[in-house]
């Protein structure tokens, strides 16, 4: 018989089913072995009765330890006494792979759970976060695919950064210095001039030493580029993308969200338009809240929280001061103190989830802007490694915009996780490279 998963099997009451899973819990009482069986779809109580199975099955059930993989056949009935609401009476029981005593028990330190991440991924929490993560990746891709975007694959090994360059991981490339990409934007821009609307969804790397609940050293970065879009049109697209992800997550994953304690009605309320506040106005709001901020200050965790604590939807902060934003962002002709950009902040202090801007697409203006950033930030671009990207401005350039969305930031917010490390299976942080 082909094996089923637990969720499907509990819809086939009274007929023979076969399920392959893992032993979640086990106890024995009066000639019956009770096993709570686990697979990705849920938990199911199994009763192995001595009179009901042959000796081989009985011995296997006795031998089975917590986390052993098992292959069970039998029939399921509803049973109000069972913690899972159903009970499978086994007709045969086989241990596939026996488990040594499992190193994770009920109360464990966060550190041990990270050391044993490869095993902790089997916990109910991580299973459901990973199911939601998989869905969120799919919704993001499908949203863009439906709108005619091409998914492209940029290189991970590069010679230059796309952002500050200050937090690049350096590596040896056959005797040359290379870096793990901190953003694929520059490469996606090149492909955009061939394919039109494009996006990449690959990891970005940031050598962030600071340990915060929203920084990873390796995170998955969705980076779309749109020819002929201005920043306002980019914001329109971003709020639709984020709403689509939140709404589909709520509509298509009720059970997963319930297990994670996430209120799906809150997610269904996330709909365009999102509030749009200029940087200048945001400064005023912060000052009004007794947080003295002056022109040119970047916003930290406290500021992001103050601006979003009473919001139920994300907000945009647009037109930031030119001196704190990267070289590719064009100056705002209506207020030359600022650039044509916006950040999207998630509600309740979850912080920045999207960074977005128009791209300086004109050669002379770009060179001027790069020189200005060099001066202001007292850095020196390795122009040689940007040459190819600058050259795009010489051969039929067009105005365009794009943005970067941190997938784990979005997951952390939508699932209301305390820490970004639980939004990714194997987190990489300044103090964590294993497993
Ligand atoms: O604001 P950032 O640095 O912008 C860029 O890299 C642009 N080149 C993107 C683009 O326009 N194509 O990063 C974009 C987003 C942030 O808004 C945040 O969601 C996420 O990437 N992010 C991180 N996520 C997890 N851990 C980190 N250390 C992150 N740094 C940025
Ligand atoms: Mg940013």
């Amino acid at each position: 018989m082909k094996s089923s998963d637990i969720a499907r099997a509990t819809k086939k009451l009274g007929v023979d089913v076969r399920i392959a899973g893992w032993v979640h819990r086990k106890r024995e009482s009066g000639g019956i072995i009770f096993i709570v069986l686990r697979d990705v779809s849920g938990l199911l109580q199994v009763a192995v009765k001595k009179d009901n199975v042959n000796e081989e099955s009985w011995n296997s059930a006795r031998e089975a330890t917590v986390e052993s993989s098992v292959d069970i056949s039998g029939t399921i009935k509803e049973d109000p006494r069972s913690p899972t609401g159903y009970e499978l009476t086994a007709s045969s029981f086989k241990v596939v792979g026996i488990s040594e005593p499992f190193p994770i028990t009920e109360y464990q330190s966060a550190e041990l759970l990270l050391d044993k991440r490869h095993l902790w991924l089997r916990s109910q929490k991580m299973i459901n976060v990973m199911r939601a993560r998989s869905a969120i990746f799919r919704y993001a891709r499908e949203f863009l695919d439906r709108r005619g975007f091409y998914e492209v694959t940029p290189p991970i090994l590069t010679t230059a950064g796309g952002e500050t360059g200050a937090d690049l991981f350096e590596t040896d490339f056959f005797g040359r210095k290379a870096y793990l990409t901190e953003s694929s934007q520059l490469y996606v821009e090149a492909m955009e001039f061939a394919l039109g609307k494009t996006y990449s969804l690959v990891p970005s790397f940031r050598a962030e030493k600071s340990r915060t609940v929203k920084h990873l050293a390796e995170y998955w970065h969705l980076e779309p580029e749109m020819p002929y879009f201005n920043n306002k049109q980019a914001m329109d697209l971003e709020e639709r993308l984020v709403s689509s992800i939140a709404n589909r997550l709520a509509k298509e994953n009720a059970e997963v969200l319930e297990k994670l304690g996430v209120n799906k009605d809150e997610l269904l309320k996330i709909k365009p338009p999102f509030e749009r506040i200029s940087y200048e106005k945001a400064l005023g709001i912060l000052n009004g809240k007794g947080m003295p901020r002056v022109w040119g200050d970047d916003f930290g965790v406290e500021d992001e929280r103050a601006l979003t604590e009473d919001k139920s939807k994300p907000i945009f902060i647009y037109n930031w001061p030119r001196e704190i934003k990267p070289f590719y962002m064009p100056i705002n002709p209506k207020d030359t103190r600022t650039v044509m950009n916006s950040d999207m902040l998630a509600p309740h202090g979850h912080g920045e989830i999207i960074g977005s801007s128009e791209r300086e697409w004109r050669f002379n203006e770009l060179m001027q802007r790069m020189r200005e950033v060099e001066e202001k930030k007292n850095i020196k671009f390795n122009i040689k490694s940007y040459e190819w990207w600058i050259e795009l401005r010489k051969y039929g350039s067009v105005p365009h915009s794009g943005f970067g969305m941190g997938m784990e930031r979005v997951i952390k917010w939508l699932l209301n996780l305390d820490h970004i490390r639980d939004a990714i299976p194997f987190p990489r942080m300044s103090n964590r490279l294993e497993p």
Side-chain angles (χ1 to χ4, degrees):
M1 201 193 324
K2 238 180 92 206
S3 65
S4 168
D5 69 25
I6 288 173
R8 271 186 289 135
T10 51
K11 296 198 173 76
K12 292 192 245 165
L13 303 184
V15 300
D16 277 345
V17 291
R18 181 176 160 203
I19 309 176
W22 285 265
V23 175
H24 185 65
R25 297 200 201 300
K26 182 182 170 184
R27 71 188 164 87
E28 194 171 342
S29 122
I32 308 180
I33 297 168
F34 289 102
I35 282 177
V36 177
L37 185 70
R38 182 197 79 239
D39 72 11
V40 61
S41 69
L43 300 172
L44 174 66
Q45 177 162 295
V46 174
V48 189
K49 298 176 186 157
K50 195 161 193 234
D51 319 335
N52 237 9
V53 293
N54 65 22
E55 200 178 332
E56 205 184 333
S57 287
W58 178 251
N59 289 339
S60 292
R62 295 206 75 172
E63 164 198 72
T65 48
V66 167
E67 286 306 321
S68 295
S69 50
V70 293
D71 187 334
I72 306 173
S73 298
T75 53
I76 302 181
K77 58 178 177 0
E78 277 184 88
D79 187 341
R81 289 166 308 173
S82 152
T84 64
Y86 295 93
E87 187 174 277
L88 181 147
T89 308
S91 55
S92 91
F93 190 106
K94 204 170 109 196
V95 171
V96 177
I98 196 82
S99 173
E100 292 183 20
F102 204 59
I104 303 173
T105 51
E106 203 136 352
Y107 300 102
Q108 296 289 0
S109 69
E111 231 21 54
L112 183 122
L113 296 182
L114 284 165
D115 290 340
K116 297 290 178 193
R117 188 66 161 196
H118 50 297
L119 300 177
W120 179 238
L121 288 170
R122 304 175 185 192
S123 65
Q124 288 298 297
K125 176 181 173 183
M126 293 310 296
I127 286 175
N128 287 299
V129 171
M130 291 307 136
R131 289 174 76 184
R133 177 182 165 101
S134 165
I136 289 166
F137 271 62
R138 183 154 45 85
Y139 302 150
R141 284 201 167 98
E142 284 179 3
F143 176 91
L144 295 169
D145 295 346
R146 274 203 309 272
R147 277 159 185 78
F149 280 74
Y150 284 96
E151 178 169 1
V152 299
T153 54
I156 302 298
L157 289 167
T158 63
T159 55
E163 290 300 300
T164 60
D167 47 13
L168 288 168
F169 283 107
E170 192 181 307
T171 178
D172 173 69
F173 188 80
F174 306 111
R176 289 176 62 190
K177 264 189 201 171
Y179 307 95
L180 300 182
T181 186
E182 61 175 343
S183 162
S184 298
Q185 177 191 322
L186 308 187
Y187 291 95
V188 182
E189 283 187 69
M191 300 198 72
E192 174 186 15
F193 287 0
L195 295 167
K197 289 190 282 184
T198 42
Y199 70 93
S200 63
L201 179 47
V202 299
S204 280
F205 301 85
R206 307 271 168 114
E208 311 260 9
K209 285 219 182 64
S210 64
R211 291 196 205 160
T212 80
V213 297
K214 51 178 209 157
H215 285 92
L216 291 166
E218 175 180 324
Y219 71 95
W220 284 75
H221 202 175
L222 177 70
E223 302 194 81
E225 284 291 323
M226 298 81 64
Y228 296 107
F229 271 50
N230 60 28
N231 191 54
K232 187 187 162 299
Q233 292 167 310
M235 285 193 277
D236 293 344
L237 183 74
E238 290 157 29
E239 64 187 14
R240 275 185 232 132
L241 165 68
V242 168
S243 301
S244 162
I245 294 172
N247 299 165
R248 286 190 70 186
L249 183 68
K251 285 185 197 144
E252 298 172 30
N253 304 271
E255 175 215 324
V256 167
L257 296 179
E258 196 189 316
K259 286 180 178 161
L260 291 169
V262 175
N263 181 351
K264 71 179 172 41
D265 297 330
E266 291 299 314
L267 298 183
L268 290 170
K269 282 186 212 149
I270 296 164
K271 293 222 149 46
F274 295 175
E275 199 179 339
R276 298 177 185 190
I277 304 170
S278 69
Y279 169 87
E280 188 160 30
K281 191 164 158 230
L283 276 188
I285 295 173
L286 292 172
N287 284 316
K289 289 187 180 231
M291 304 168 75
R293 299 291 180 268
V294 297
W295 186 268
D297 282 349
D298 207 347
F299 296 160
V301 182
E302 299 294 303
D303 308 87
E304 290 182 342
R305 176 165 293 283
L307 290 168
T308 62
E309 61 195 347
D310 54 346
K311 309 286 182 198
S312 54
K313 297 198 285 186
I315 61 168
F316 289 104
I317 310 286
Y318 64 90
N319 289 153
W320 289 65
R322 60 200 270 180
E323 63 268 26
I324 55 172
K325 287 294 176 186
F327 56 90
Y328 53 77
M329 296 188 182
I331 312 274
N332 174 12
K334 293 199 187 114
D335 176 356
T336 56
R337 295 174 308 159
T338 67
V339 286
M340 300 300 285
N341 82 316
S342 57
D343 281 354
M344 188 192 287
L345 307 186
H348 312 304
H350 280 284
E352 180 193 328
I353 50 177
I354 289 182
S356 170
S357 83
E358 292 177 19
R359 316 309 195 188
E360 184 50 80
W361 63 286
R362 300 157 301 182
F363 180 80
N364 291 332
E365 283 78 355
L366 178 62
M367 296 315 293
Q368 220 172 318
R369 179 83 178 116
M370 287 183 87
R371 276 194 291 269
E372 170 191 321
V373 170
E374 282 188 326
E375 237 167 72
K376 287 256 164 65
K377 295 205 163 148
N378 200 17
I379 51 172
K380 197 99 199 97
F381 287 116
N382 178 7
I383 287 291
K384 195 120 193 69
S385 60
Y386 288 98
E387 233 163 33
W388 63 270
W389 175 75
I390 294 167
E391 200 175 83
L392 295 171
R393 275 76 187 156
K394 289 192 197 166
Y395 297 96
S397 185
V398 301
H400 58 289
S401 291
F403 62 94
M405 180 168 99
M407 297 301 287
E408 288 78 15
R409 293 263 180 100
V410 171
I411 295 166
K412 174 182 184 289
W413 158 53
L414 292 175
L415 303 182
N416 199 21
L417 303 175
D418 296 332
H419 200 297
I420 196 168
R421 66 187 173 212
D422 286 338
I424 188 165
F426 294 100
R428 296 289 177 254
M429 296 171 293
S430 61
N431 60 343
R432 175 122 339 241
L433 184 58
E434 284 159 326

